[in-house]
Amino acid sequence: MTGLLKRRETSLFIITVIVIAAVALRARDFLAPGNFEDILKDSSILLIVSIGQLLVILTGGIDLSVASVIGFTGMSVALLDRAVPTVPLLVILLLALLIGLALGSFNGMLVALFNIPPIITTLGTLSIYRGFVIVLSGGTWVSADQMSAPFRDFPQGYLLGISNMISIAILVSLIFAAFFYLTRTGREVYGVGGSPLAAQYVGINVKRINFLVFALSGTLSGLAGYLWVAFYASAANDSATGLELQTVAACVIGGVNIMGGSGTIVGVLLGSIFLGIVKNALTMIRISPFWQVAIQGFVILLAIVVNTALDRRAQASMLKRRVL
Amino acid sequence: MAGGSIRRSSASASAPDSPAAAPRPPRGARLRARATQWELILVYLLVVVFVGNSFLSPYFLDAPNLLDSTFNFMEKAIMALPMMMVIIGGDIDISVASNLALASVFMGMASTAGAPTPILILIGLVSGSIMGAFNGFLITRFAIPSIAVTIGTLSLYRGIASVILGDKAYTSYPKSFAYLGQGYLPGTHIPFELLLFVLLAALAGFVLHRTVFGRRVYALGNNPTTARFSGVRVDRLRLIAFTLNGLAAGVASVLLTARVGSTRPNIATGWELDVITTVVLGGVAITGGKGSIWGVILAVFLLGFVQFGMALVNIPGQVMNIVTGFILIIAIMVPELIKRGRNRASLARLSARTETAARS
């Protein structure tokens, strides 16, 4: 099974390289180091949120509310920064994490405690949280010149020659890679997705895991909420709308099984960068940006069909081996 | 059936002896048994909303105004009918609003090229059905969960619509086309949209509750494996349900496009929330296998008039969605809590009984 997973991620890597080569043939600037850094910076937010989505999908759920959590958290911290520009960045960051945690926990509570299916829970909170953005902002937005300098400059900053955006994405990836591979709870997330019933029988607290993944997904979206408004230097009422579909896309492109139980951080990393490359490439070879959503939908479908077919073949070969 | 009877027929769950609901006495008795607690609750809530709205606006309870207010939610109501079948069958379709948008774009293209109204209707219905069938094809052919497929097509259909439209909009539609979304039955105050919904709801109710096809949908939702072993052609059934769902999105697309007279890339964005909320509020189990047409009809008018009431006090659409979102969640939470309470009560009774049995 791990061999197969590895192969899937390798094939995605090869496809990515082919896309890069194809685009580079049409537009030389695409391969410029500056542009590549732009792609990575642009993909950082997507990667952070997609890791949260990965957690939820691994348990067999889905979190459609991530973009609304980003919108709400981003608006909250931006309004705070506008009202009190002296609030230190660290407090802003902590607050963003906490707001995200609260919103994610609400999702988790509905799913774990009240047995409401994740798709329904988060379809509801997608609208609820987005509605709260409007209530909070009163329909206005926070523009770049209303933000304090440290608030706005952090995502543009560098530490040891690496962009802060990229560092944070790497840090989050490492933390969650450690969570998945080194902690018992991390393994339990896979167990719940593989078979909730079996997980229950071996003594995994399924409710706790279901709550935890939504809480973590919310927390990561909260972090992304601050990064979003600071990186794009504007907190609008509709910021990040539709991002939930991109995170699902990043996961399934990265080989995450949409029914839960299998998928890796490396896959999600490749999936996010792949989407970032496609988005950047469309602009580079001057294709209308309106194509982006359609291509994204097509890629989601293609990835799911391919993943399902591969899974089935793997199962068939496993069965055959057992017969022999 | 006259459109004016809609309030009577929607109230019939509480009054099973009304002629519309119970032409034969034995069926009336059965209906009374089946008119669940949930549907009664919906009737009470509907009354509350009516009273509330008439406080908000003195003009609300005026018959022509009341009929006119249904324009705002009949397209969603029509989409809720086959969505109900899809959900009872244990699936879900969150691509319906994108399906509606793309069908509207196709009609806009045809209209700009000078197509007459009948052709436009045909294009809307056929393209909607094809998109629905495509969902069903992917789901059944590749055995992919419907959530996953329709998340993809939600993005794909809307994406194609915005590729075709760009930043433009189609705004020229024939005069006769507008009737479908804005017209009344000649000589009355009954909107054509409302009449169409009543007819389609009657059809959906008949199919679900009175035909073999309908029984199979319930069987499928209760246990797909058992259904398959009982000789139900499960995949064909699901394909049909998704195609019907696409067809209804096409119908809604015709009505909405005719009503607003234009097609923009963001037309009907987020409507899947309203449609699914209606179905779930109507008492249809999100896990499949359970639900009745009366509940959904009641939910259509309940949600429709709640949103209309909010519009009366000028609440913006996205804030309205907060309420809709909460309604969706509460509508699922309450039956779950009732079920849990009942289980606990019966468990307590059981343990009390065993205790007395052990003592004697």
Side-chain angles (χ1 to χ4, degrees):
Chain A
M1 200 64 194
T2 36
L4 182 88
L5 277 174
K6 273 207 188 100
R7 213 169 59 215
R8 207 178 292 176
E9 274 131 21
T10 346
S11 58
L12 176 61
F13 182 73
I14 293 167
I15 292 171
T16 312
V17 171
I18 292 173
V19 170
I20 293 174
V23 178
L25 280 180
R26 290 280 305 274
R28 281 287 145 80
D29 295 345
F30 186 69
L31 278 184
N35 186 49
F36 222 75
E37 193 189 327
D38 279 348
I39 293 178
L40 289 182
K41 269 198 228 169
D42 218 31
S43 314
S44 295
I45 293 180
L46 179 61
L47 172 61
I48 292 168
V49 187
S50 299
I51 289 174
Q53 188 69 264
L54 167 70
L55 279 157
V56 177
I57 292 183
L58 279 178
T59 64
I62 196 154
D63 188 348
L64 295 180
S65 73
V66 285
S68 298
V69 174
I70 292 177
F72 185 80
T73 316
M75 183 57 83
S76 309
V77 292
L79 287 173
L80 175 69
D81 182 66
R82 186 174 69 178
V84 195
T86 49
V87 175
L89 189 62
L90 199 64
V91 176
I92 296 269
L93 270 173
L94 275 177
L95 199 67
L97 290 169
L98 277 178
I99 295 173
L101 174 67
L103 298 180
S105 301
F106 183 67
N107 286 336
M109 186 192 75
L110 291 173
V111 171
L113 246 57
F114 295 101
N115 289 339
I116 304 179
I119 176 120
I120 298 297
T121 301
T122 56
L123 190 65
T125 54
L126 172 146
S127 304
I128 294 172
Y129 298 160
R130 183 61 68 182
F132 281 144
V133 179
I134 318 277
V135 174
L136 194 70
S137 69
T140 61
W141 65 89
V142 182
S143 57
D145 52 313
Q146 293 171 317
M147 294 173 183
S148 71
F151 184 94
R152 201 182 48 215
D153 293 343
F154 176 73
Q156 312 295 345
Y158 284 83
L159 188 71
L160 305 173
I162 304 171
S163 155
N164 285 344
M165 292 290 276
I166 299 174
S167 315
I168 290 191
I170 292 175
L171 187 69
V172 169
S173 307
L174 289 177
I175 290 173
F176 279 91
F179 171 72
F180 283 131
Y181 290 108
L182 302 180
T183 72
R184 188 192 166 99
T185 311
R187 297 316 297 171
E188 286 180 350
V189 170
Y190 284 89
V192 168
S195 165
L197 202 64
Q200 191 109 50
Y201 284 147
V202 298
I204 295 173
N205 188 340
V206 175
K207 276 184 199 287
R208 179 178 150 260
I209 298 292
N210 276 334
F211 177 83
L212 185 76
V213 292
F214 278 99
L216 288 174
S217 173
T219 311
L220 288 173
S221 301
L223 172 65
Y226 159 70
L227 292 175
W228 184 284
V229 294
F231 185 64
Y232 296 109
S234 115
N237 289 303
D238 62 349
S239 43
T241 39
L243 192 81
E244 67 279 358
L245 295 175
Q246 288 182 41
T247 61
V248 174
C251 286
V252 293
I253 292 168
V256 177
N257 186 342
I258 191 79
M259 299 177 77
S262 71
T264 62
I265 293 243
V266 177
V268 175
L269 180 85
L270 287 171
S272 307
I273 293 175
F274 181 80
L275 282 178
I277 287 172
V278 169
K279 189 170 146 197
N280 186 283
L282 287 181
T283 348
M284 279 286 169
I285 53 180
R286 298 212 178 74
I287 293 179
S288 147
F290 294 111
W291 275 96
Q292 203 199 321
V293 181
I295 289 180
Q296 177 190 308
F298 178 73
V299 172
I300 292 179
L301 286 176
L302 189 70
I304 294 175
V305 169
V306 170
N307 285 349
T308 320
L310 284 177
D311 269 349
R312 205 161 316 147
R313 205 194 296 162
Q315 266 166 17
S317 73
M318 245 150 73
L319 272 176
K320 219 179 277 168
R321 248 179 290 151
R322 266 171 59 180
V323 169
L324 290 175
Chain B
M1 199 190 287
S5 74
I6 195 65
R7 260 183 301 155
R8 219 190 319 136
S9 59
S10 57
S12 61
S14 67
D17 45 4
S18 83
R24 287 169 299 151
R27 218 184 110 201
R30 257 187 291 152
L31 248 177
R32 191 173 307 143
R34 220 192 296 147
T36 55
Q37 239 180 331
W38 187 253
E39 280 150 18
L40 282 178
I41 294 173
L42 290 180
V43 173
Y44 296 144
L45 287 177
L46 199 57
V47 172
V48 171
V49 169
F50 262 82
V51 173
N53 280 1
S54 44
F55 269 112
L56 290 176
S57 161
Y59 307 108
F60 175 74
L61 275 182
D62 174 50
N65 276 342
L66 207 55
L67 288 170
D68 276 356
S69 66
T70 61
F71 275 117
N72 295 309
F73 55 90
M74 277 306 117
E75 295 103 10
K76 293 172 194 165
I78 288 171
M79 286 157 95
L81 296 170
M83 180 67 87
M84 179 187 174
M85 277 188 211
V86 167
I87 293 182
I88 289 176
D91 282 304
I92 196 152
D93 183 350
I94 60 169
S95 73
V96 280
S98 301
N99 183 333
L100 189 163
L102 187 51
S104 181
V105 166
F106 288 142
M107 284 188 285
M109 289 168 82
S111 180
T112 311
T117 300
I119 301 290
L120 294 185
I121 298 173
L122 193 71
I123 288 175
L125 302 188
V126 169
S127 60
S129 307
I130 291 176
M131 283 182 260
F134 183 63
N135 284 338
F137 166 76
L138 291 179
I139 290 162
T140 53
R141 173 68 181 76
F142 298 103
I144 305 168
S146 48
I147 298 176
V149 167
T150 55
I151 277 183
T153 52
L154 168 110
S155 196
L156 181 68
Y157 296 159
R158 178 78 62 184
I160 296 174
S162 57
V163 166
I164 296 174
L165 267 175
D167 46 10
K168 297 192 303 281
Y170 293 119
T171 50
S172 71
Y173 288 96
K175 268 231 166 63
S176 59
F177 185 64
Y179 171 82
L180 297 162
Q182 303 169 13
Y184 300 88
L185 288 194
T188 69
H189 235 290
I190 300 160
F192 171 75
E193 288 196 347
L194 180 63
L195 175 81
L196 190 62
F197 168 70
V198 171
L199 294 176
L200 291 177
L203 182 67
F206 176 77
V207 168
L208 261 180
H209 297 308
R210 291 280 173 276
T211 65
V212 177
F213 177 85
R215 293 317 300 165
R216 285 181 180 154
V217 172
Y218 283 92
L220 166 67
N222 271 313
N223 190 331
T225 316
T226 322
R228 180 177 313 215
F229 284 124
S230 315
V232 176
R233 280 197 263 175
V234 168
D235 279 350
R236 204 185 63 155
L237 196 61
R238 293 169 80 198
L239 186 62
I240 293 173
F242 276 95
T243 309
L244 288 177
N245 212 23
L247 174 63
V251 173
S253 184
V254 170
L255 298 178
L256 180 64
T257 309
R259 182 155 68 88
V260 300
S262 70
T263 301
R264 290 169 211 284
N266 65 347
I267 186 171
T269 309
W271 275 26
E272 64 277 354
L273 172 77
D274 286 334
V275 174
I276 294 171
T277 303
T278 303
V279 173
V280 171
L281 181 64
V284 174
I286 194 72
T287 44
K290 223 171 70 187
S292 89
I293 188 77
W294 292 113
V296 172
I297 292 173
L298 284 168
V300 160
F301 288 94
L302 183 57
L303 194 66
F305 284 123
V306 165
Q307 293 187 337
F308 183 69
M310 289 192 283
L312 280 178
V313 288
N314 291 323
I315 293 178
Q318 281 190 303
V319 179
M320 234 185 251
N321 282 346
I322 299 179
V323 178
T324 313
F326 272 117
I327 291 178
L328 172 67
I329 287 169
I330 292 168
I332 302 185
M333 207 151 98
V334 170
E336 174 72 24
L337 288 178
I338 293 174
K339 199 174 76 190
R340 220 178 278 179
R342 236 179 246 158
N343 283 350
R344 207 167 296 156
S346 64
L347 245 169
R349 240 178 293 137
L350 197 71
S351 64
R353 216 177 298 155
T354 36
E355 225 169 273
T356 31
R359 245 181 253 148
S360 61

